[in-house]
Amino acid sequence: MAGDPLTAQLDAIRAGDRRALATVISAAENDPRVAARLDRELADTPRRARRVGLTGTPGSGKSTLLAELVKLLLERGHMTGGLLVDPSSPLSGGAVLGDRARLGRTSDPRLYVRSLGSRGGHGAVAAATRTAIRLLELWGADLVLVETVGAGQGDVDIRGLVDLTVLVVPPGLGDELQAMKAGIMEVADLFVVTKADRPGAAAAAAALKDAGIGGRARGHREIIETSALTGGGIVTLADHLMQQLEVTAVPAVVHSETVTPPPPPAPSAASGRLHETFDLTGRVAIITGATAGLGRRFAEVLHAAGASVVITGRRAERLQEVAAQLERAVVAPADVSDAEGRQAVVRAAIDTYGRIDVLVNNAGVSGPPVPSEEMPAQRWDDTFAVNITGLFEMARLAGAQMLAQRSGSIVNITSVFGLVANSPVNDSAYAASKGAVVNLTRALAVEWAMRGVRVNAIAPGWFPSEMTSDMVEDESSQTYIRRCCPMQRMGHQGELDGALLFLASDASSYCTGQTLAIDGGWTAR
Amino acid sequence: MSAPEPLVPRVLLTKSFIDSHDRAIKTIALALRDGGCEVILVDYETPSDVVDVAIDEDVDVIGVSFMSGGQVAVTQAIVTALGEAGRGDLPVVVGGTIRPFDVDDLESSGVRAIFRGGEKLERVVETFRDLAAESRRRRAE
Amino acid sequence: MKSWLSESAARVVDGAASRWLESRAKRYGERTFEATNRSGIALQPVYGPRDLEQTPVEDVGMPGQFPYTRNLYPVHYQYQPWMDLQIIGYGVATQLRERMDLLQAEGGARGYFGGEAYNIIFDMPTSMGIDPDFPAVQGAIGDCGVSICTAADFETLFAGKNLESTHVSMVCNAGSPGILALYLAAARNRGADTTKVGGNITNYIWDFFGHCGGINFSPRGSYRLCADIAAYCAREAPRMNAITISEHNICEAGANNVQAVAFSIATVIALGEECASLGIDPDAVIPRWGFHVRYGEDFFEDVAKTRALRRLYAKLNRDRLGCRKDASLQARIHAQTAGSLLTVQQPLNNLVRNAYGALSAVLAGVNGMTINAYDEALGIPTEEAVTLSLRTSQILAEETGVTKVTDPLGGSFYVERLTTEIEQAALALIAEIDARGGLIECIESGWITDQVAASAYRWRREVEEGDRVLVGVNRYVVDEEPDIKVFRPDPQAAAIALENLERHRAQRDQAATDAALVRLREAGLTVRDGRQIGSVTESLVGAAQAGATLGEMQSVLHDVFGRNK
Ligand SMILES: Nc1nc2c(ncn2[C@@H]2O[C@H](COP(=O)(O)OP(=O)(O)OP(=O)(O)O)[C@@H](O)[C@H]2O)c(=O)[nH]1
Ligand SMILES: [Mg+2]
């Protein structure tokens, strides 16, 4: 193949070619690898659009509203993109994409509208939405409107893709409004009551006043009434959106008349780009037990691979120190054995970044060796509360978001002593809890295998950490290690990086339920 | 690029905005959905609308329904407009009330299939899928 | 509730029924012979006197009595035969007029009491309120109906006829308000007194779930306009039927009979409530509403749904809308045979289908009838086919003897029970619509169209799987289809229509037209606000008299009352 067709097409899009835009969006829809590559290549596109998500119950008037907004935005000179997401049938994979019918005629050189099937997104945003937004930006859109249907779980994740989430509410929504309270209503940045020409609009607006605080700014949300029939409220809405998006003037996007020639052929075959499958640009990772040691290292590694990280642990100031070294990091101090703490961590991730792609379940405890016949009951319970219950609950909380996204990778940190006995360093509670992690990993992996979430584990052998600090200096410990470990040494800092990156990234897309022992051969003999 | 994902054909189904009969087009839309296609369902005001939407939505096949007149004139206009837009490769299928005297003109305008009612849905879906696959192959070359 | 059977009669009946069960078991073993009809209602292999008990005695009564289950009149066809309305329409006014004259010569076009009657269908652009010079609609001009866009066109069509004794039924969609205005303007221009002009405007703008695929006003805008037309007609053209609720179209779109009856009645409720909310006395407008019902899919179900529709209409109009006048409680029904069941394959079979459909309509006691042409699935009917439709009706009326008794199926255990079952199922659906916030809400949320589309799809799947037989399509298929003569519309029609329109625009008093359109807009805004209901239609008639075209009036209305798409 001569040249790289994709690169040539990207150049064409950059020059304003809407056909190339249409084709490349299809390519991203049809092949997640293309989407991933585009996400990487477009991550640094200087052109950025303001993005607005419109969501709400079926028939609430989203498309009609979008049509009105588009008309106004075009009049105001905006280069506008519209993405209309409709649910795909889970059985056939097909979809009737009906939103466009509400838009009327769309033949305008400054407007590009595309209908997307959610393709397995359970009415949530389509997998390719993010990429499509990037492509629209490359094309020159300075405003992108995204319509998604539903008011359930799936809707919450639109937030990760847009700057502003608008919840569209028709008059006469009673029970549904109640049901939305917990999810989308909390995260909406703005409420629009549509069909204001109808009785009940004022009542709906009044009901929304009780919504309390929420949204990105964690404040009271504006409520705007609109009517497509009378045109009322549309200008107010547009002005308000612009103000919140801080668009003062329309950015001048100048397209060159001709398509620039494609650059010289990129290196062919897989070789040059293999590392890209390990790339985590744009992903969001939670790391538990990240105050020090392995956990801190995990956070640094994922961050270096491009991820934004949410780090948690019990000691807030230690976390701050870690975060200070990182560009994209959020600190959420919590104890994973505490239910509220766990929820706070997950909420922090969603509130800040709108999604969760990776969870590293690293927090764990152990104690001084003790013969089993003398193991205190409290010690047993405490070990399990952190090592298995805390880990399971974190997996469930983050997993719920991942399932809604239809994608995510959970990496549980167990131990070689989840695979073999730890005698003579007797700690049966530890061994039992780590063994439980190994099989929990399998159980979750199989349960979620078809729903886009992978679950794997790493079983490190002896590594220097706070927990093992005394061993490093201790001669008898070193003897023990030389005897049991075929490589006759402890692991070095950094020797888990590869395994972690592998399991956290798309590199392991076909791997789930596995425990990778990184132990110098400890469990091999 | 390596092995592509299974094909999800994208189909534009359209009829005139003044044609109020939509039972047939909706039934075909549902059948195509159940046959694994993504269906964009819009009305056109002018034949060039059809071309604009087909290009932006990157569809693989266009199906036009006629229940009350305009069969030949509109189809010819759509096919011509596609050609002018450089997308003469996009297969066009028509269905609905197609009268015997429409058939020759429709065929000579390059229509790829004509459905006059009573065809098995399965066969309709298959035709769309086949045309979509062919259309994608041709574009990939 | 009064009882149908005395105790002693019940004993006899029950004894007979149990003996019947025994003999059935003896002969056929376990088989029960249950079936389901189009609406999914379970059918027994035979019905008996006990089945009457499903129905309150007072709900049956005699023809001409509330709730009018059995008929609107004490005696029906013996006194007043049904009115035949063959649908005609193609080309431009002059061309259609030739056909109307031919129909009249054949003994068609007969209205009540010796007058003439025509059932005109318009081409799609006209029906939707679009002028022939709108970009890219030329291919459809005069193609499946007549092209009309000015009052002068109507004057041409009815030249020399006395419009006060001619019943003109106009089948049209979103263009209804403008088309009615053009017709009334033509009548006025011809010196007729509109209070004496009779006819029917189907006014399908209320329909967002039947025959509804095209542009229309916004749902709420449509219902407001319906009220305006009804109020205007009640005052200025009281013999004009202002709204036809088309059960037929809902069926044609794929709904089953229960859905179609329920959605039709829900429409009456929504329209009635709209009128009431605007201060219009329902008794002033409802007597001029009527139904268009489909026949030909499931024989006895079609009879029963008609009776259920009449009963529901009477009860709900009285109890829910507060109507007091008898005429407000009487559902007048125009029957049409099912067009969507006509097949392209073996088209002559359609003659037989139409005859059976027409028979069930007559046994149900409908007031008017349109029998489709057998070649309709192939395009617009040929003259020969139209004549055969007329003959079908004439044979039914004058040879078969079915007109000698009113409500001949009344008291049939099966039909009475089915009537009540359909009534109850429809009531349940109406309750669901209420629970979903009413009809307009269900339209706007898309719920109702989804119901219809799903039913249509299910029907089609049943045909595919052979569970539903269509002779010539999925059974008794022949390889070679016979050559059938097909009517070919005049390709010149578009050119003539365009020329007429151009001339019209050039010759009219433009300033007067413009002023009339401004007045129309003002009236529209007032009516949208809920005041001076009826003034939109009045301004439309004024604009039509001032030379405004259908499309010009329509775009003002669309601006004011919104578009559905
Ligand atoms: N009266 C009135 N009706 C409206 C208004 N906006 C939308 N509608 C109607 O509400 C219905 C649904 O509108 P859509 O814009 O398709 O709603 P949606 O939320 O995009 O629907 P889905 O994509 O199917 O979930 C349509 O019948 C519209 O005509 C309005 O401002 N006033
Ligand atoms: Mg929508």
Side-chain angles (χ1 to χ4, degrees):
Chain A
M1 226 193 305
D4 178 12
L6 193 55
T7 307
Q9 275 173 320
L10 290 182
D11 288 335
I13 294 172
R14 201 174 283 115
D17 181 343
R18 62 198 299 136
R19 260 174 237 206
L21 175 60
T23 320
V24 177
I25 291 178
S26 299
E29 275 194 295
N30 290 331
D31 190 341
R33 281 160 303 185
V34 174
R37 179 179 156 194
L38 288 168
D39 287 349
R40 278 190 306 275
E41 290 189 13
L42 300 178
D44 306 321
T45 312
R47 288 174 181 173
R48 278 286 178 257
R50 310 297 170 142
R51 309 150 169 199
V52 178
L54 299 175
T55 189
T57 49
S60 52
K62 302 178 291 291
S63 305
T64 311
L65 183 66
L66 190 141
E68 296 287 319
L69 273 177
V70 162
K71 240 186 279 165
L72 192 67
L73 294 173
L74 290 174
E75 272 170 25
R76 293 185 178 180
H78 287 284
M79 193 85 173
T80 310
L83 296 175
L84 312 172
V85 187
D86 263 325
S88 300
S89 152
L91 293 177
S92 70
V96 176
L97 309 175
D99 295 324
R100 187 163 195 137
R102 293 253 172 254
L103 260 61
R105 306 184 70 193
T106 46
S107 314
D108 188 307
R110 303 180 69 82
L111 173 67
Y112 177 90
V113 175
R114 173 70 175 238
S115 314
L116 299 172
S118 63
R119 300 203 181 178
H122 270 320
V125 290
T129 310
R130 173 192 301 271
T131 320
I133 293 175
R134 286 279 160 84
L135 289 164
L136 278 168
E137 292 173 340
L138 186 67
W139 172 68
D142 61 89
L143 267 159
V144 175
L145 305 176
V146 184
E147 174 182 343
T148 57
V149 77
Q153 260 289 304
D155 256 17
V156 177
D157 60 25
I158 175 93
R159 277 191 328 150
L161 300 176
V162 295
D163 302 314
L164 272 183
T165 305
V166 177
L167 179 64
V168 176
V169 180
L173 216 59
D175 297 348
E176 290 93 334
L177 214 55
Q178 288 305 318
M180 280 194 281
K181 282 240 161 93
I184 186 67
M185 248 170 94
E186 228 170 60
V187 305
D189 299 302
L190 184 69
F191 297 123
V192 172
V193 176
T194 48
K195 313 185 190 182
D197 48 282
R198 293 179 27 186
L208 286 168
K209 289 231 168 67
D210 300 339
I213 58 165
R216 232 157 275 249
R218 301 241 123 247
H220 283 281
R221 278 74 56 82
E222 197 78 21
I223 302 162
I224 297 176
E225 295 182 33
T226 65
S227 165
L229 194 54
T230 64
I234 305 291
V235 174
T236 316
L237 172 63
D239 290 346
H240 195 83
L241 287 175
M242 290 308 145
Q243 188 200 330
Q244 282 208 17
L245 292 166
E246 292 166 314
V247 177
T248 39
V250 178
V253 176
V254 189
H255 284 307
S256 49
E257 278 304 305
T258 50
V259 177
T260 42
S268 68
S271 58
R273 297 190 172 273
L274 254 185
H275 66 277
E276 288 177 0
T277 57
F278 292 91
D279 185 28
L280 295 176
T281 306
R283 310 267 171 112
V284 177
I286 297 177
I287 300 97
T288 67
T291 42
L294 296 184
R296 174 177 186 156
R297 175 79 186 182
F298 292 155
E300 289 164 354
V301 166
L302 297 180
H303 181 266
S308 305
V309 295
V310 177
I311 51 177
T312 177
R314 276 172 300 187
R315 288 158 297 180
E317 62 305 342
R318 296 280 294 271
L319 289 174
Q320 295 295 359
E321 280 167 34
V322 177
Q325 309 298 316
L326 305 174
E327 243 177 77
R328 301 170 305 276
V330 166
V331 165
D335 181 341
V336 296
S337 62
D338 167 57
E340 275 178 27
R342 292 188 294 256
Q343 273 162 12
V345 174
V346 172
R347 207 174 312 121
I350 296 176
D351 283 350
T352 316
Y353 298 116
R355 57 186 294 119
I356 303 170
D357 299 288
V358 177
L359 166 66
V360 182
N361 255 324
N362 168 65
V365 293
S366 65
V370 54
S372 284
E373 55 274 33
E374 289 161 26
M375 167 78 68
Q378 191 60 44
R379 162 92 173 264
W380 176 272
D381 287 347
D382 291 348
T383 307
F384 268 71
V386 176
N387 290 10
I388 189 68
T389 310
L391 177 143
F392 176 59
E393 292 298 338
M394 280 304 295
R396 287 211 304 174
L397 283 171
Q401 173 66 23
M402 292 174 175
L403 290 170
Q405 296 162 194
R406 313 268 315 168
S407 80
S409 172
I410 296 175
V411 182
N412 295 323
I413 308 302
T414 171
S415 159
V416 282
F417 301 127
L419 298 168
V420 296
N422 48 355
S423 176
V425 193
N426 294 325
D427 184 349
S428 50
Y430 183 81
S433 68
K434 290 299 186 182
V437 170
V438 171
N439 213 35
L440 175 65
T441 298
R442 296 192 187 105
L444 290 176
V446 172
E447 205 174 318
W448 293 343
M450 283 302 292
R451 297 167 65 191
V453 179
R454 298 181 297 104
V455 188
N456 292 287
I458 297 175
W462 288 104
F463 275 81
S465 75
E466 274 190 0
M467 273 198 284
T468 62
S469 55
D470 351 339
M471 293 184 65
V472 180
E473 303 299 313
D474 176 32
E475 192 43 42
S476 75
S477 301
Q478 291 301 324
T479 315
Y480 156 67
I481 284 167
R482 271 196 296 276
R483 202 175 57 240
C484 297
C485 176
M487 287 193 185
Q488 299 193 7
R489 63 171 176 88
M490 288 178 90
H492 298 310
Q493 212 199 23
E495 283 185 319
L496 292 172
D497 296 356
L500 177 73
L501 264 187
F502 169 67
L503 293 178
S505 69
D506 293 344
S508 60
S509 57
Y510 195 50
C511 175
T512 195
Q514 303 308 310
T515 298
L516 220 53
I518 310 293
D519 59 359
W522 192 289
T523 53
R525 53 197 305 160
Chain B
M1 260 170 257
S2 44
E5 296 286 294
L7 178 78
V8 181
R10 286 174 67 86
V11 177
L12 170 59
L13 283 189
T14 186
K15 67 169 187 60
S16 166
F17 76 129
I18 58 170
D19 196 339
S20 62
H21 306 74
D22 61 355
R23 177 176 181 168
I25 197 169
K26 280 191 168 162
T27 297
I28 298 297
L30 292 177
L32 286 170
R33 177 201 67 189
D34 288 353
C37 303
E38 285 179 349
V39 184
I40 291 109
L41 198 57
V42 291
D43 290 354
Y44 61 82
E45 289 189 22
T46 73
S48 71
D49 294 347
V50 178
V51 179
D52 291 343
V53 175
I55 289 175
D56 278 5
E57 293 284 357
D58 195 36
V59 298
D60 306 303
V61 193
I62 300 172
V64 194
S65 162
F66 294 98
M67 297 302 289
S68 12
Q71 291 86 335
V72 170
V74 173
T75 307
Q76 285 172 343
I78 290 174
V79 172
T80 309
L82 277 171
E84 283 164 2
R87 286 307 308 273
D89 60 306
L90 262 181
V92 177
V93 171
V94 301
T97 309
I98 308 297
R99 300 155 297 189
F101 53 80
D102 293 325
V103 173
D104 283 349
D105 288 344
L106 286 175
E107 277 174 352
S108 65
S109 70
V111 159
R112 297 294 301 274
I114 297 175
F115 295 114
R116 304 180 61 188
E119 286 86 1
K120 280 213 166 259
L121 286 179
E122 222 171 85
R123 208 182 76 69
V124 176
V125 173
E126 210 177 275
T127 306
F128 272 98
R129 288 197 69 105
D130 289 349
L131 287 171
E134 180 196 315
S135 146
R136 278 221 192 153
R137 262 199 316 278
R138 200 161 342 113
R139 286 185 71 196
E141 276 158 16
Chain C
M1 186 168 110
K2 305 281 181 304
S3 166
W4 284 92
L5 299 171
S6 69
E7 260 176 57
S8 59
R11 268 195 303 279
V12 176
V13 163
D14 292 345
S18 66
R19 287 197 305 286
W20 177 83
L21 272 177
E22 278 163 31
S23 62
R24 184 183 80 180
K26 224 191 229 147
R27 262 185 108 103
Y28 313 108
E30 297 287 285
R31 289 186 63 186
T32 58
F33 299 95
E34 276 165 12
T36 47
N37 64 12
R38 166 73 174 114
S39 298
I41 294 172
L43 300 180
Q44 300 303 313
V46 68
Y47 290 81
R50 280 287 195 192
D51 289 300
L52 291 174
E53 292 180 341
Q54 299 292 318
T55 312
V57 175
E58 60 275 20
D59 273 2
V60 179
M62 288 295 277
Q65 296 173 358
F66 185 89
Y68 305 106
T69 312
R70 303 191 56 193
N71 205 300
L72 303 184
Y73 315 111
V75 292
H76 194 197
Y77 301 136
Q78 303 96 315
Y79 174 71
Q80 176 63 63
W82 62 84
M83 189 199 284
D84 266 313
L85 281 178
Q86 304 320 121
I87 293 183
I88 54 171
Y90 88 106
V92 294
T94 44
Q95 295 171 316
L96 176 59
R97 177 56 189 265
E98 285 170 24
R99 242 176 165 199
M100 282 160 51
D101 292 343
L102 188 81
L103 183 74
Q104 202 192 6
E106 292 279 340
R110 278 184 318 178
Y112 293 130
F113 308 112
E116 286 176 46
Y118 297 95
N119 190 13
I120 311 259
I121 186 150
F122 300 92
D123 65 9
M124 261 304 156
T126 306
S127 177
M128 289 300 187
I130 284 168
D131 285 341
D133 57 354
F134 189 90
V137 303
Q138 283 73 36
I141 291 175
D143 195 340
C144 287
V146 64
S147 172
I148 297 277
C149 65
T150 60
D153 288 336
F154 269 126
E155 290 180 55
T156 308
L157 194 61
F158 294 106
K161 292 192 186 295
N162 179 358
L163 292 186
E164 290 177 11
S165 63
T166 305
H167 178 102
V168 178
S169 185
M170 292 173 279
V171 184
C172 43
N173 223 302
S176 294
I179 293 170
L180 172 66
L182 292 177
Y183 181 73
L184 292 177
R188 276 198 189 155
N189 289 348
R190 293 270 311 283
D193 175 358
T194 56
T195 62
K196 295 197 179 123
V197 168
N200 199 69
I201 179 96
T202 56
N203 198 7
Y204 287 152
I205 58 177
W206 58 267
D207 182 3
F208 291 86
F209 38 91
H211 193 53
C212 58
I215 41 155
N216 196 351
F217 301 101
S218 71
R220 278 165 213 274
S222 289
Y223 280 65
R224 179 62 49 91
L225 277 171
C226 284
D228 186 275
I229 291 172
Y232 174 84
C233 286
R235 217 169 48 223
E236 304 290 333
R239 293 179 55 209
M240 185 59 80
N241 296 316
I243 292 170
T244 302
I245 310 297
S246 184
E247 192 268 358
H248 175 275
N249 288 353
I250 305 173
C251 287
E252 288 285 279
N256 66 37
N257 288 318
V258 165
Q259 290 174 319
V261 167
F263 297 167
S264 298
I265 295 290
T267 303
V268 172
I269 294 170
L271 288 167
E273 286 174 350
E274 172 76 8
C275 286
S277 78
L278 295 168
I280 302 168
D281 174 12
D283 274 329
V285 291
I286 292 186
R288 279 296 161 189
W289 297 358
F291 290 88
H292 179 198
V293 174
R294 183 177 85 149
Y295 294 86
E297 181 143 29
D298 188 315
F299 194 92
F300 289 104
E301 194 181 339
D302 285 349
V303 174
K305 80 169 173 187
T306 312
R307 303 170 91 248
L309 180 74
R310 281 197 296 253
R311 191 192 285 165
L312 278 166
Y313 187 73
K315 287 184 180 174
L316 290 175
N317 281 5
R318 187 189 65 180
D319 301 339
R320 224 176 134 156
L321 298 179
C323 296
R324 290 289 165 263
K325 272 197 199 163
D326 286 346
S328 304
L329 309 180
Q330 298 174 337
R332 290 169 305 133
I333 293 173
H334 183 87
Q336 187 175 344
T337 53
S340 64
L341 297 175
L342 302 184
T343 60
V344 177
Q345 298 83 354
Q346 306 178 32
L348 285 171
N349 293 350
N350 296 330
L351 270 175
V352 183
R353 291 192 176 97
N354 289 337
Y356 287 135
L359 177 60
S360 70
V362 167
L363 296 184
V366 301
N367 309 80
M369 175 95 81
T370 296
I371 300 182
N372 290 329
Y374 72 88
D375 56 0
E376 202 156 275
L378 303 167
I380 3 171
T382 53
E383 278 157 25
E384 184 204 20
V386 173
T387 305
L388 275 170
S389 292
L390 186 58
R391 296 286 177 260
T392 306
S393 176
Q394 290 161 339
I395 290 169
L396 202 51
E398 296 170 45
E399 286 189 15
T400 62
V402 292
T403 56
K404 289 175 187 162
V405 171
T406 297
D407 191 28
L409 295 177
S412 151
F413 308 131
Y414 171 33
V415 171
E416 293 297 355
R417 171 151 188 170
L418 192 54
T419 300
T420 299
E421 284 188 300
I422 291 177
E423 178 193 13
Q424 283 166 355
L427 273 174
L429 210 45
I430 292 167
E432 175 160 13
I433 291 170
D434 288 338
R436 290 176 177 277
L439 182 76
I440 299 184
E441 189 59 43
C442 290
I443 293 168
E444 288 181 342
S445 72
W447 178 82
I448 208 155
T449 28
D450 288 351
Q451 302 298 302
V452 176
S455 173
Y457 188 40
R458 213 176 306 127
W459 183 93
R460 181 72 181 260
R461 300 268 297 272
E462 286 165 13
V463 171
E464 305 265 302
E465 277 144 32
D467 296 339
R468 179 174 294 280
V469 175
L470 286 185
V471 169
V473 174
N474 63 1
R475 211 172 285 181
Y476 317 113
V477 178
V478 292
D479 292 340
E480 196 85 358
E481 288 290 348
D483 244 4
I484 280 284
K485 245 190 9 203
V486 178
F487 181 83
R488 184 157 200 172
D490 179 4
Q492 293 310 310
I496 302 171
L498 284 170
E499 202 186 296
N500 287 345
L501 176 56
E502 201 177 328
R503 190 167 353 94
H504 173 84
R505 285 204 221 274
Q507 289 173 356
R508 70 184 174 189
D509 176 350
Q510 190 61 42
T513 311
D514 293 345
L517 288 171
V518 169
R519 279 194 298 277
L520 173 60
R521 184 177 300 271
E522 285 161 1
L525 292 169
T526 310
V527 167
R528 195 175 82 184
D529 261 10
R531 289 175 292 121
Q532 294 178 37
I533 310 302
S535 63
V536 168
T537 310
E538 189 175 316
S539 312
L540 279 169
V541 175
Q545 279 193 289
T549 67
L550 178 60
E552 289 162 351
M553 297 189 286
Q554 190 78 358
S555 52
V556 174
L557 292 182
H558 270 313
D559 268 1
V560 176
F561 293 97
R563 272 173 69 153
N564 67 328
K565 50 175 83 170

